[in-house]
Amino acid sequence: MASVKEALKFDLAKSTLSAMNEALHALAADDARRVTVVNPDGAHSIAVGLNQPLEVEVQGHAGYYAAGMNKHARVTITGSAGTGVAENMMSGRVHVQGFASNGAGASAQGGLLVIDGDAGLRCGISLKGGDIVVGGSVGSFSAFMAQAGRMVVCGDAGDALGDSLYEAVIYLGGQARSLGADARYEPMTEQDYETLGGLLRQAGIDRNPKSFRRIASARSLYHWNADANQEY
C-alpha cells in the first residue's frame, strides 16, 4: 500500500467507481491522505460511506448521492452535484462549489454541508443534526420535517419552507415564497447572531448575520389535536 504521505488519484475514465470506493474503504482509519478523483462525468455514489479523515477532491460534476453517509472525511466537489449529496452525513464536511440538486443533505445527522450555488427541492429534508449553508437559493419544501440542526440560506426559498419543523432552525437571508405548516419567523437573539456568524465563516461567506431572519417551529404540531379538523 502507498505511504501515508502519498496522495491517491483515481481516473474514473480508466477505472471503475466500485474499485475506487472499495480502495477508499480499505484504508486504515489513521491512514489520512489526500485523494483526487478526475473525470467523474456525473457518476453516482462517488466517495460514499467514507469513515476515514480523508481529503477528497472530485474535479468535475458528481451524480446522485455523492459523499453520502460521510463520516470524518472532507469532500470537495468542484462542479455540481445530483440528488442526495451528503445524504445521511454523520460528520466531516462536504463542499459543493456549484449547484446541488434535490434532497441535498437529507437526514444528515452531523457535519457541515456547504453549497456555493443554489440547491433544488427539499434541501435538508428530515435534517437530524447536521448543518447546511447554501450560498444561493433553495427550492420548495426545504427543511421539511427537519428535526435538529441548522440550515442557512443566503438567497431565497420556494414554497413551504420549514414545513413541519421540529427543533431545527433556519436562517434566511432572502425571501421565502411561503412558510410551511407550523413554521414561523422569530426574533433573532445574540446567540443566533453568534451561531450564524460562525457558520458563515466556516462556509467562507462574507455576509452580515444581521441581514438574516430566524425561522423555527411554532410547536403546534407536536401533539395531535382531534378538534383541529386537520387544519393548522
Side-chain angles (χ1 to χ4, degrees):
M1 179 176 287
S3 67
V4 174
K5 294 183 179 180
E6 182 180 344
L8 297 177
K9 183 175 182 178
F10 295 92
D11 186 345
L12 294 186
K14 299 178 180 178
S15 63
T16 66
L17 177 66
S18 59
M20 181 197 74
N21 282 334
E22 287 174 6
L24 296 181
H25 294 166
L27 294 174
D30 59 351
D31 195 11
R33 63 178 69 192
R34 295 183 62 84
V35 178
T36 302
V37 181
V38 299
N39 295 313
D41 198 25
H44 302 320
S45 302
I46 294 175
V48 296
L50 297 183
N51 192 27
Q52 302 86 8
L54 302 173
E55 294 274 352
V56 180
E57 182 178 279
V58 181
Q59 297 181 350
H61 303 305
Y64 293 0
Y65 300 109
M69 301 178 289
N70 186 65
K71 189 175 182 181
H72 301 310
R74 296 173 63 91
V75 181
T76 300
I77 300 168
T78 64
S80 295
T83 296
V85 62
E87 181 267 344
N88 201 35
M89 178 167 60
M90 305 300 290
S91 63
R93 175 188 172 106
V94 177
H95 184 183
V96 180
Q97 294 183 345
F99 165 86
S101 188
N102 302 334
S107 300
Q109 300 188 43
L112 173 65
L113 169 62
V114 178
I115 301 166
D116 289 349
D118 297 330
L121 302 171
R122 300 181 181 87
C123 179
I125 183 173
S126 193
L127 188 67
K128 292 181 172 65
D131 292 321
I132 301 174
V133 180
V134 181
S137 299
V138 298
S140 298
F141 285 98
S142 288
F144 173 60
M145 293 189 70
Q147 298 167 35
R150 290 81 58 97
M151 188 164 81
V152 179
V153 180
C154 294
D156 299 324
D159 286 314
L161 176 64
D163 190 89
S164 303
L165 271 175
Y166 285 81
E167 294 299 320
V169 175
I170 304 167
Y171 297 111
L172 179 65
Q175 300 295 321
R177 185 173 297 173
S178 66
L179 298 185
D182 212 33
R184 67 181 182 184
Y185 292 107
E186 296 182 344
M188 292 280 284
T189 66
E190 289 304 317
Q191 181 61 54
D192 285 313
Y193 291 132
E194 182 178 343
T195 297
L196 175 56
L199 289 170
L200 291 170
R201 285 191 296 273
Q202 288 183 67
I205 296 175
D206 184 11
R207 182 79 179 265
N208 186 349
K210 293 191 175 180
S211 65
F212 287 77
R213 290 183 290 174
R214 172 190 167 101
I215 299 168
S217 173
R219 296 190 171 94
S220 61
L221 294 180
Y222 274 34
H223 304 285
W224 171 253
N225 181 2
D227 296 328
N229 193 29
Q230 299 187 24
E231 295 179 0
Y232 290 88

